[in-house]
Amino acid sequence: ALREKEALLRESLFKKINFFHKLPSLSGNEDPHHQKKNKIKITGADWQELINGIRDAYPDFLDKLEQLAPTLSDDDMRFCCLLKINVNMQDLSDIYCVSKAAITKRKYRLKTEKFQINDNTLNLDTILQQIN
């Protein structure tokens, strides 16, 4: 019950962030039949807002991420933050202006090269969700 309350509080925190409303998969503006690629423009202020939101919702997440994979770039860290808040593949491909296949490859490269995890039963999303 406490974990459910914690998840609801985190979700309500993210809903107050302007950045959250740019992402159809998180804001509830997603059309399941809509496959057209629309670029999602993320500004420097948006990225900072995301990082601050992550720090508020998951205080140790970024530090643990850096400990697990010290070679992560700033962009890698932002990408991991997007995965942590469950941004879907379509939104990720729209943010980075690449195909869904490119997003899948990036996740795999991060998992194997930066996190040095070769277990094929684990994916990067699962790994990041386990970090609190």
Side-chain angles (χ1 to χ4, degrees):
L2 286 176
R3 289 192 191 274
E4 286 179 27
K5 284 184 180 182
E6 183 180 24
L8 288 172
L9 286 172
R10 284 187 178 128
E11 185 177 326
S12 68
L13 172 71
F14 282 113
K15 285 183 179 179
K16 291 181 181 181
I17 297 174
N18 290 329
F19 174 80
F20 184 90
H21 298 287
K22 289 187 174 187
L23 305 173
S25 63
L26 298 179
S27 65
N29 297 330
E30 187 174 34
D31 179 359
H33 304 293
H34 185 69
Q35 293 298 318
K36 184 182 173 200
K37 293 187 179 213
N38 294 316
K39 183 176 180 180
I40 298 174
K41 177 91 169 112
I42 306 299
T43 66
D46 291 333
W47 286 122
Q48 192 56 52
E49 190 177 42
L50 171 66
I51 296 298
N52 292 340
I54 290 288
R55 285 189 200 285
D56 290 342
Y58 306 98
D60 298 325
F61 177 72
L62 293 170
D63 292 332
K64 288 180 181 178
L65 202 58
E66 201 166 2
Q67 288 173 356
L68 287 171
T71 61
L72 287 174
S73 68
D74 288 343
D75 188 52
D76 292 337
M77 296 285 273
R78 291 189 296 258
F79 184 77
C80 289
C81 287
L82 292 171
L83 295 177
K84 180 70 173 172
I85 62 170
N86 296 315
V87 174
N88 73 12
M89 291 288 280
Q90 184 62 55
D91 284 353
L92 290 170
S93 68
D94 291 345
I95 289 168
Y96 290 100
C97 298
V98 297
S99 68
K100 290 181 185 179
I103 296 295
T104 300
K105 287 176 188 172
R106 182 174 185 178
K107 287 181 179 184
Y108 181 78
R109 279 195 306 274
L110 283 172
K111 181 186 97 167
T112 57
E113 294 172 13
K114 303 282 182 151
F115 288 90
Q116 298 180 349
I117 297 172
N118 294 312
D119 183 348
N120 288 331
T121 62
L122 290 174
N123 64 37
L124 185 59
D125 299 87
T126 303
I127 295 162
L128 295 174
Q129 291 309 318
Q130 293 173 349
I131 301 171
N132 285 322

